[in-house]
Structure formats: C-alpha cells, structure tokens
Amino acid sequence: MDALHATGIRFAEVLQSGPPWLEKFWISLTSLADPKCIFTICFPLAYFLDRKVGVSVLWIGLVSEWLNVVLKWFLFGERPFWWVHESGFASKERVVLRQFPVSCETGPGDPSGHCMITGAALWPLVTALMALASKHSRSLVAKLSPFGAYALLLLALGLSRVFVLAHFPHQVVSGILAGAALGWGLQAHTPAARTPGFFVATALALLLSSLALHSLLIAVGIDIDW
C-alpha cells in the first residue's frame, strides 16, 4: 500500500503544479459538489422536473450516504494530507505539496464520499435525460451527451479531491465505480409510491443502525475513530 500511496502523492504534486486558474477550478468544484448538494439542490431540481426521478435521486442519495460511511469503517483508507507526514514519507523524500482550507478532512478515506454519493444519486437523472434526448433526436452524440457530462463531472470531481489532498487516486476510482454501480442497481428499486413518512423512518433507521454498528466495532476493539 505504501507504493500506491507514494504514487498518489506524486500524482497530487503534478496536479498542484498546474496554472492558478485551474487551482481555483479544483477548489470550487470540490466545494460545490459536496454530497449535501444532492439533498439541497439536485433533489429539488429533479423533483420539479419529474417526481419519480426526484424521489429516485433522494432515495439513492440517502442509501449511498449511509453505505459510504459503513464502507469507510471497514476499508479504512488513509488521507494524503495526514499520511505524507505520519508515514514518514515527507522526511525521506522531497515533497512539494500545498495545504488548502478544505485539505484537513479526517476519518477514513476509502471510498471517496464525494465521488460515490454524487455518482450514485445523479444516475437516475442522467438516465432520464438520456431517455429524453432519445425521444427528440436520433443523433447518437445527443443521446449519449448526458452520460458524457456525467462521466466528465465524476472525473473532474475525483481529480479535485486528489488536488486538495482529501483522497488518493485509488480511493477516487473506488468511489466512482461504487457510485455508478449503486445508482444502476438501486434505480429500479426506488420506492416512488411511498409517503414522506417512509423516508423519514428509513433515514432514522439508517442513522440508528450506523450508531449501533459504530458502538459494536468500538466494543470489539476496532478503533474506527483513529
């Protein structure tokens, strides 16, 4: 793993050596694409356009947020900002990295929550836009443009997370793959006919189950708060 982490640090150095305008872009993207935006921006917009799509975005966002926390507890995953010093890597080799206000994230880093939750929750919106494009155009480019935009967004978001030293590249890749798979798998199982009370109860159940799992892991001697 040290070799993988070292490669990730060098990749982050390359990203940070880019032009100033690109730096502003990475920082803005990692801030604007916070998973909370799925619930505060993407869900209301999707719901306004199509109720079923909106509910699907909400449902997948809810489940993927919970699952990301659970996966991080079991996969752990170092954060570049902390690893480069705690591992002694910075004392052995010359490292040229900069710190940003959003760099000091704590807790396990694998998989990337930004990539996983965004990738999962936007999947139903992307498929809806692809279906809409297919109705109004026979052009293959037009039909696939929503998916192309989706892929480019996740790629850029992943690079931004590496740039600010919040994640290693392999954590970003695992987040993107897990998010796309989760979105694809859950879209067909969206409880669109359920009442708002169902979603409140589900959110409460997920919260309580995560607290219970946290307590259980601590009880058996696994320090997930390291």
Short mmCIF file of all heavy atoms in Angstrom, two decimals, residues 5 9 31 41 80 96 98 113 121 138 170 173 176 178 198 214 224:
data_model
loop_
_atom_site.label_atom_id
_atom_site.label_comp_id
_atom_site.label_asym_id
_atom_site.label_seq_id
_atom_site.Cartn_x
_atom_site.Cartn_y
_atom_site.Cartn_z
N HIS A 5 0.31 4.58 -2.18
CA HIS A 5 0.16 5.90 -1.57
C HIS A 5 1.21 6.87 -2.09
O HIS A 5 0.91 8.04 -2.36
CB HIS A 5 0.29 5.77 -0.05
CG HIS A 5 -0.88 5.10 0.59
ND1 HIS A 5 -0.78 4.37 1.76
CD2 HIS A 5 -2.18 5.02 0.22
CE1 HIS A 5 -1.96 3.88 2.08
NE2 HIS A 5 -2.83 4.27 1.16
N ILE A 9 0.71 10.47 -4.00
CA ILE A 9 1.30 11.75 -3.58
C ILE A 9 1.98 12.43 -4.76
O ILE A 9 1.84 13.65 -4.97
CB ILE A 9 2.31 11.53 -2.44
CG1 ILE A 9 1.58 11.06 -1.17
CG2 ILE A 9 3.11 12.80 -2.17
CD1 ILE A 9 0.59 12.07 -0.61
N SER A 31 -15.78 22.04 -3.52
CA SER A 31 -16.66 22.68 -2.54
C SER A 31 -18.12 22.63 -2.99
O SER A 31 -19.02 22.33 -2.21
CB SER A 31 -16.24 24.13 -2.30
OG SER A 31 -14.91 24.20 -1.80
N ILE A 41 -29.91 20.70 -3.53
CA ILE A 41 -30.02 21.27 -4.88
C ILE A 41 -30.53 20.25 -5.90
O ILE A 41 -31.54 20.48 -6.56
CB ILE A 41 -28.66 21.84 -5.34
CG1 ILE A 41 -28.22 22.98 -4.41
CG2 ILE A 41 -28.76 22.34 -6.79
CD1 ILE A 41 -26.85 23.54 -4.72
N PRO A 80 -4.30 11.57 2.23
CA PRO A 80 -2.98 12.04 1.80
C PRO A 80 -2.39 13.14 2.69
O PRO A 80 -1.20 13.13 2.99
CB PRO A 80 -3.24 12.57 0.39
CG PRO A 80 -4.44 11.83 -0.07
CD PRO A 80 -5.28 11.62 1.15
N VAL A 96 6.61 18.40 -2.46
CA VAL A 96 6.17 19.78 -2.68
C VAL A 96 4.65 19.78 -2.79
O VAL A 96 4.08 19.56 -3.85
CB VAL A 96 6.79 20.39 -3.95
CG1 VAL A 96 6.35 21.85 -4.11
CG2 VAL A 96 8.31 20.29 -3.90
N ARG A 98 0.87 21.69 -1.25
CA ARG A 98 0.27 22.84 -0.58
C ARG A 98 -1.00 22.43 0.14
O ARG A 98 -1.70 21.52 -0.26
CB ARG A 98 -0.04 23.94 -1.59
CG ARG A 98 1.19 24.69 -2.07
CD ARG A 98 0.84 25.63 -3.20
NE ARG A 98 0.44 24.90 -4.39
CZ ARG A 98 -0.45 25.35 -5.27
NH1 ARG A 98 -1.05 26.51 -5.06
NH2 ARG A 98 -0.75 24.65 -6.33
N GLY A 113 -16.35 9.79 -0.64
CA GLY A 113 -17.78 10.05 -0.50
C GLY A 113 -18.29 11.00 -1.57
O GLY A 113 -19.40 10.82 -2.08
N ALA A 121 -26.29 9.14 -6.84
CA ALA A 121 -27.53 9.92 -6.82
C ALA A 121 -27.85 10.56 -8.16
O ALA A 121 -29.03 10.77 -8.48
CB ALA A 121 -27.44 10.98 -5.73
N ARG A 138 -32.25 11.66 -33.07
CA ARG A 138 -31.74 10.37 -33.50
C ARG A 138 -30.22 10.32 -33.44
O ARG A 138 -29.62 9.28 -33.70
CB ARG A 138 -32.22 10.06 -34.92
CG ARG A 138 -33.72 9.89 -35.05
CD ARG A 138 -34.10 9.51 -36.47
NE ARG A 138 -35.54 9.31 -36.60
CZ ARG A 138 -36.16 8.97 -37.74
NH1 ARG A 138 -35.43 8.81 -38.85
NH2 ARG A 138 -37.46 8.79 -37.77
N HIS A 170 -6.65 6.00 -5.98
CA HIS A 170 -7.37 4.72 -5.96
C HIS A 170 -8.66 4.82 -5.15
O HIS A 170 -9.62 4.10 -5.42
CB HIS A 170 -6.47 3.60 -5.41
CG HIS A 170 -6.16 3.70 -3.95
ND1 HIS A 170 -5.13 4.49 -3.46
CD2 HIS A 170 -6.73 3.13 -2.85
CE1 HIS A 170 -5.08 4.39 -2.15
NE2 HIS A 170 -6.04 3.57 -1.74
N VAL A 173 -11.19 6.34 -7.57
CA VAL A 173 -11.65 5.34 -8.53
C VAL A 173 -12.67 4.40 -7.88
O VAL A 173 -13.72 4.10 -8.47
CB VAL A 173 -10.45 4.53 -9.09
CG1 VAL A 173 -10.95 3.37 -9.94
CG2 VAL A 173 -9.54 5.44 -9.91
N ILE A 176 -15.99 6.25 -7.54
CA ILE A 176 -16.72 6.40 -8.81
C ILE A 176 -17.38 5.08 -9.21
O ILE A 176 -18.56 5.04 -9.60
CB ILE A 176 -15.76 6.88 -9.92
CG1 ILE A 176 -15.33 8.33 -9.64
CG2 ILE A 176 -16.43 6.79 -11.29
CD1 ILE A 176 -14.29 8.85 -10.61
N ALA A 178 -18.12 2.44 -7.32
CA ALA A 178 -19.16 2.06 -6.35
C ALA A 178 -20.41 2.91 -6.55
O ALA A 178 -21.54 2.41 -6.48
CB ALA A 178 -18.64 2.21 -4.92
N PHE A 198 -42.29 7.38 5.16
CA PHE A 198 -41.44 6.22 4.91
C PHE A 198 -39.97 6.63 4.84
O PHE A 198 -39.10 5.96 5.41
CB PHE A 198 -41.85 5.54 3.61
CG PHE A 198 -40.88 4.51 3.11
CD1 PHE A 198 -40.85 3.23 3.64
CD2 PHE A 198 -39.96 4.83 2.11
CE1 PHE A 198 -39.94 2.28 3.19
CE2 PHE A 198 -39.06 3.90 1.65
CZ PHE A 198 -39.04 2.62 2.19
N HIS A 214 -21.32 1.40 14.93
CA HIS A 214 -20.18 2.13 15.48
C HIS A 214 -19.86 1.65 16.89
O HIS A 214 -18.70 1.36 17.23
CB HIS A 214 -20.50 3.63 15.48
CG HIS A 214 -19.40 4.50 16.02
ND1 HIS A 214 -19.18 4.68 17.36
CD2 HIS A 214 -18.46 5.24 15.37
CE1 HIS A 214 -18.15 5.50 17.53
NE2 HIS A 214 -17.69 5.85 16.33
N ILE A 224 -12.40 2.77 14.97
CA ILE A 224 -12.76 3.38 13.69
C ILE A 224 -12.69 4.90 13.74
O ILE A 224 -12.88 5.56 12.71
CB ILE A 224 -14.19 2.94 13.26
CG1 ILE A 224 -15.21 3.33 14.33
CG2 ILE A 224 -14.24 1.46 12.99
CD1 ILE A 224 -16.63 3.02 13.94
#
